[in-house]
Amino acid sequence: MAVTIPNTKPLNVVQLEGLVVLKIIKHCRESYPSDVTGQLLGLDQKGTLEVTNCFPFTADDDEEASAQYQLDMMRCLRAVNVDNNTVGWYRSAHLGNFVDLTLIETQYGYQKSLANSVVLIHDVSKSTAQSNLSLRAFRLQDNFMAAFEAKKFTTASLAEAKLSFSNIFEELPVQIHNSHLVTMMLHNIEMPNLDVNRLESLSTFNLQPSTQADIDASRPLAPNFDVLDLELDPFMQKNLQYLLECSDAQQQEQNNYQYWQRSVAREQAKMQAWLSKRKQENAQRIAHGQAPLPEDEVHTLFKLPTEPSRLDSMILSAQMHNFTKQLNQYAGPSLARLFSIQELQK
Amino acid sequence: MATKSDALCVTIGNMGTAPHQRPFTSHVSPVVLFSVLDHYLRREKDQELVVGAILGVRSDDGTEVEIRNAFSLLETDDGLDEEHYKTLYDLHRKVNPEEVILGWYTAGQNILANATTYQAVFKQDCAPFNPIHMTMDPEALFKTNGLGLNTYTAAPVGFSEDADCMFLPVPSEIKYLDAERSGLEMLASAKSNETRTAALLSDMDHLEVAIVRLQELLERVSKYVDSVVQGTTPPNNAIGRYIMDAVSVVPKIDASVFEKTFNSHLQDLLMVVYLANMTRTQLSVAEKLHLLVNTPNTNSH
């Protein structure tokens, strides 16, 4: 059963430690292209969810083994003073295709037992395409959770609860926080100073390609200009491809719904026909002085088919919405880059 | 590459020489640094130093080592908590089967007096290679400009099997991967903030930051060139040629050809944006309609 702690305030920001960010990036990158998950540990304080550590999950499908893994890991971490409260989980994604049923189900499970848990999505392909870290935090909204619990997703119930694809998830802003030691370390990783007077000619630069590579590799915090790349194709292509697949699936769902509607209409027509026939019979029987037959049998004879769940349809809509948003967001900087190139040519 | 010759002279050898004499480089991944510092931060009140294990991959001939991950170990009064170590290593291996134990780290001081005993513990797991010892000195972070990070390999001294080891320094460098780089930059942007926090940037903001930086660099270069022309700064051939190379990278394309490619690129982009927006409007209209539905169908039950 859900345990509600009396003074939990609703979350409004998620704060990650630097360590967590790097660990998540490392784990997600190493398991490309499959999706991986992991657990987030930390504390929930005054409306801020602080995530201080994390560990990856095995790809085991065996329930027991992975539960055992979790317990062992938590025990070992507690021995070294790491916060071992679960506050959520993370998952890797590629170009935004993360909205699906497993995500919702798992997050529902987490949120039911801990009211303030979040899911962090790290988008690997998007981070490399734009060289801008893509890390988003989501939780399920309360009215969606209520509907999911009841497992009723008919059009009527959705309209009542004013639920639609855009309010399944609520996105929380993410912040990064560093400890003092780490901040000191970041200050100390600096660019090496090339001694200018020793550079006699250009050849000292170019003759040793290793020097060049070393210089590049050892300036970790030097400005990174990968974001100024002009190339559109891979990102756009993949995105459009995903979008098309989604709309195909959505089309199928629509077809199902329409099929259901037509079958309902047919059943009702049959019911009406039967009912009118019954009425006629009854009229005849009354004319002959016999008791009329009941008309209620109509409901037991004809069963209306149940409405298919609209949940899948909603999920697909949310996914498509996500893709289109990504395309828009990508187009903005691309336009900017394009026009700046034009300026450069003049 | 020869190792730093501090007190010993190490020769560059081949497979015939003893392992500790072979050339060696180690690359450290940033995750390890953060992990070690975090462990040091969380130590018990009276503990002066912490111990942990480092994991990673080795190249085939053992000369290049990449340290990719680390986890912390417990220290009891008798030494290292072996069970804890074994459990953690097993758990890690389940997720990442290709990382092997490469050695161990300490944070808090430089090499311990009884480091040899710890070295022996890890020796079995690293066979046939020597375990690598990595130390990180948080004091060095405060006092010097460096990171206080040192890596060592052990060489036996003395005649008996379990004699003390001498720790030989090994060059190490911090190696980054592309995806990590963007994450690290994000973290680094937090260092100038007072509360040591930073929010994640949207794509446009990120582009803006990069362009501003580029402009600053261009400013500096043009100031330098101006001062050289005026004669206030002594000219340097290498830098001059470098600048010339950099500037000539901008391709000289015929204006009309450029117009054409520019326009076609622009049109592609705009078309995709238009399609995306159309899909979005479609979705919102559908959403509104769904909410309006008064379900005449279900009323007739």
Side-chain angles (χ1 to χ4, degrees):
Chain A
M1 297 307 294
V3 174
T4 40
I5 307 166
N7 52 355
T8 42
K9 292 170 64 168
L11 289 180
N12 50 15
V13 75
V14 175
Q15 187 172 291
L16 304 175
E17 287 287 317
L19 176 66
V20 173
V21 171
L22 283 183
K23 271 176 126 169
I24 293 181
I25 294 180
K26 172 181 182 285
H27 183 220
C28 295
R29 236 199 87 257
E30 279 177 355
S31 331
Y32 189 81
S34 52
D35 284 339
V36 288
T37 53
Q39 182 103 306
L40 297 171
L41 309 164
L43 278 179
D44 163 20
Q45 267 192 7
K46 296 188 208 142
T48 307
L49 189 69
E50 292 185 12
V51 182
T52 49
N53 214 327
C54 66
F55 61 85
F57 278 152
T58 52
D60 253 338
D61 282 332
D62 185 5
E63 277 264 355
E64 257 201 45
S66 44
Q68 185 61 27
Y69 171 86
Q70 269 195 50
L71 286 174
D72 284 338
M73 194 53 124
M74 303 270 255
R75 199 170 24 99
C76 291
L77 287 175
R78 187 178 47 206
V80 281
N81 287 341
V82 174
D83 299 327
N84 67 343
N85 304 323
T86 311
V87 291
W89 59 299
Y90 67 84
R91 187 183 150 156
S92 69
H94 302 286
L95 285 186
N97 63 345
F98 54 83
V99 182
D100 56 12
L101 200 55
T102 44
L103 180 79
I104 296 188
E105 281 175 355
T106 328
Q107 179 62 7
Y108 177 73
Y110 271 88
Q111 247 175 274
K112 201 148 178 290
S113 39
L114 300 158
N116 275 339
S117 56
V118 297
V119 54
L120 265 186
I121 308 271
H122 175 245
D123 198 327
V124 179
S125 337
K126 201 151 151 240
S127 297
T128 31
Q130 292 253 26
S131 81
N132 179 24
L133 183 63
S134 155
L135 204 56
R136 299 165 78 182
F138 292 103
R139 356 182 10 242
L140 293 175
Q141 288 197 2
D142 292 331
N143 48 2
F144 183 78
M145 291 224 358
F148 196 72
E149 201 159 339
K151 293 219 182 326
K152 244 186 107 204
F153 287 106
T154 60
T155 326
S157 61
L158 289 181
E160 253 182 60
K162 292 211 182 339
L163 269 186
S164 76
F165 69 85
S166 56
N167 48 11
I168 302 182
F169 285 110
E170 120 184 64
E171 183 166 354
L172 295 170
V174 173
Q175 261 186 359
I176 303 190
H177 173 264
N178 285 328
S179 63
H180 286 292
L181 279 178
V182 165
T183 315
M184 293 250 48
M185 181 183 82
L186 288 172
H187 275 291
N188 281 348
I189 303 181
E190 276 180 359
M191 284 167 64
N193 290 321
L194 286 179
D195 195 356
V196 167
N197 297 326
R198 288 182 53 207
L199 296 176
E200 292 294 318
S201 68
L202 199 55
S203 50
T204 43
F205 257 168
N206 287 341
L207 261 189
Q208 300 148 352
S210 59
T211 335
Q212 193 64 8
D214 276 341
I215 292 175
D216 278 343
S218 61
R219 310 181 280 169
L221 296 183
N224 180 9
F225 291 121
D226 286 346
V227 70
L228 295 176
D229 265 343
L230 261 193
E231 202 180 322
L232 276 188
D233 290 334
F235 185 78
M236 285 281 198
Q237 256 183 10
K238 277 251 110 153
N239 223 338
L240 282 176
Q241 203 181 357
Y242 283 143
L243 193 57
L244 284 177
E245 283 171 9
C246 246
S247 19
D248 281 340
Q250 180 77 313
Q251 178 79 337
Q252 284 225 338
E253 289 289 320
Q254 292 288 63
N255 283 341
N256 277 347
Y257 188 68
Q258 283 180 345
Y259 183 74
W260 171 80
Q261 275 193 325
R262 271 179 264 141
S263 57
V264 162
R266 271 201 306 259
E267 283 291 312
Q268 283 188 337
K270 276 199 263 177
M271 273 169 63
Q272 288 299 88
W274 189 91
L275 210 57
S276 49
K277 217 176 74 177
R278 234 334 140 74
K279 285 209 170 81
Q280 272 188 344
E281 277 184 15
N282 281 344
Q284 278 186 348
R285 286 169 83 123
I286 290 174
H288 287 276
Q290 293 169 328
L293 293 169
E295 292 177 357
D296 291 341
E297 283 182 12
V298 68
H299 293 291
T300 49
L301 281 180
F302 294 93
K303 278 217 141 39
L304 284 178
T306 44
E307 185 174 350
S309 162
R310 314 239 56 213
L311 180 62
D312 288 329
S313 183
M314 261 200 346
I315 294 179
L316 284 170
S317 308
Q319 179 77 304
M320 282 179 22
H321 181 83
N322 203 21
F323 284 139
T324 51
K325 204 162 103 162
Q326 263 176 207
L327 277 177
N328 269 342
Q329 279 179 341
Y330 186 73
S334 301
L335 280 176
R337 287 193 278 264
L338 204 55
F339 280 105
S340 49
I341 291 290
Q342 193 184 38
E343 284 305 306
L344 205 58
Q345 277 289 17
K346 290 191 191 151
Chain B
M1 232 197 267
T3 57
K4 239 179 11 185
S5 59
D6 221 352
L8 283 184
C9 181
V10 179
T11 52
I12 305 172
N14 50 16
M15 297 297 276
T17 57
H20 59 270
Q21 285 176 340
R22 269 178 250 149
F24 209 79
T25 46
S26 66
H27 300 288
V28 180
S29 160
V31 180
V32 174
L33 296 175
F34 276 72
S35 204
V36 169
L37 282 180
D38 183 71
H39 185 204
Y40 183 69
L41 207 61
R42 288 171 188 283
R43 65 190 190 284
E44 303 279 345
K45 235 163 76 162
D46 295 332
Q47 230 180 340
E48 269 193 7
L49 78 108
V50 290
V51 178
I54 47 182
L55 307 160
V57 292
R58 251 177 229 282
S59 71
D60 287 329
D61 52 358
T63 48
E64 252 192 61
V65 152
E66 210 178 290
I67 303 180
R68 282 201 198 149
N69 205 349
F71 57 80
S72 34
L73 296 175
L74 271 188
E75 220 179 279
T76 59
D77 286 329
D78 296 329
L80 213 51
D81 190 345
E82 296 252 353
E83 198 189 304
H84 185 237
Y85 164 52
K86 289 272 178 291
T87 331
L88 263 186
Y89 182 39
D90 282 336
L91 292 175
H92 264 103
R93 230 190 341 201
K94 279 201 193 131
V95 181
N96 223 331
E98 57 179 33
E99 286 184 357
V100 292
I101 296 258
L102 286 176
W104 55 300
Y105 70 80
T106 57
Q109 300 167 4
N110 266 317
I111 306 188
L112 305 171
N114 56 344
T116 328
T117 46
Y118 287 116
Q119 189 79 342
V121 171
F122 290 94
K123 213 174 165 104
Q124 314 162 333
D125 286 320
C126 301
F129 299 101
N130 266 332
I132 301 176
H133 178 48
M134 190 174 96
T135 59
M136 195 145 176
D137 190 4
E139 296 298 313
L141 282 180
F142 291 106
K143 293 179 194 152
T144 66
N145 242 355
L147 291 177
L149 178 70
N150 294 310
T151 40
Y152 304 95
T153 182
V157 165
F159 293 109
S160 66
E161 187 64 42
D162 290 333
D164 287 333
C165 305
M166 176 131 55
F167 285 98
L168 304 171
V170 158
S172 67
E173 51 188 33
I174 306 186
K175 194 172 173 195
Y176 291 80
L177 306 145
D178 282 336
E180 279 178 359
R181 202 157 174 194
S182 52
L184 205 68
E185 276 187 12
M186 192 53 51
L187 297 177
S189 63
K191 72 181 185 220
S192 23
N193 198 340
E194 256 198 27
T195 52
R196 295 166 284 125
T197 56
L200 289 181
L201 294 176
S202 78
D203 291 339
M204 273 303 240
D205 291 337
H206 190 68
L207 185 69
E208 189 187 334
V209 164
I211 291 189
V212 164
R213 271 212 194 118
L214 187 61
Q215 275 186 330
E216 278 174 14
L217 288 179
L218 288 175
E219 277 279 330
R220 275 168 69 180
V221 168
S222 79
K223 266 203 208 133
Y224 171 75
V225 168
D226 284 340
S227 67
V228 166
V229 163
Q230 279 182 356
T232 42
T233 325
N236 185 312
N237 279 335
I239 296 193
R241 292 238 184 86
Y242 206 55
I243 295 179
M244 189 174 84
D245 277 350
V247 169
S248 59
V249 157
V250 177
K252 255 198 139 39
I253 315 177
D254 193 25
S256 59
V257 170
F258 179 75
E259 273 292 310
K260 258 178 41 188
T261 38
F262 177 77
N263 280 332
S264 59
H265 200 150
L266 189 65
Q267 277 180 350
D268 290 339
L269 205 61
L270 287 179
M271 180 182 80
V272 172
V273 168
Y274 170 70
L275 285 175
N277 280 334
M278 202 162 70
T279 326
R280 278 182 90 179
T281 8
Q282 189 88 307
L283 288 175
S284 348
V285 168
E287 180 187 352
K288 294 283 182 301
L289 284 179
H290 277 154
L291 290 180
L292 281 180
V293 161
N294 245 330
T295 68
N297 288 332
T298 49
N299 278 344
S300 58
H301 274 229

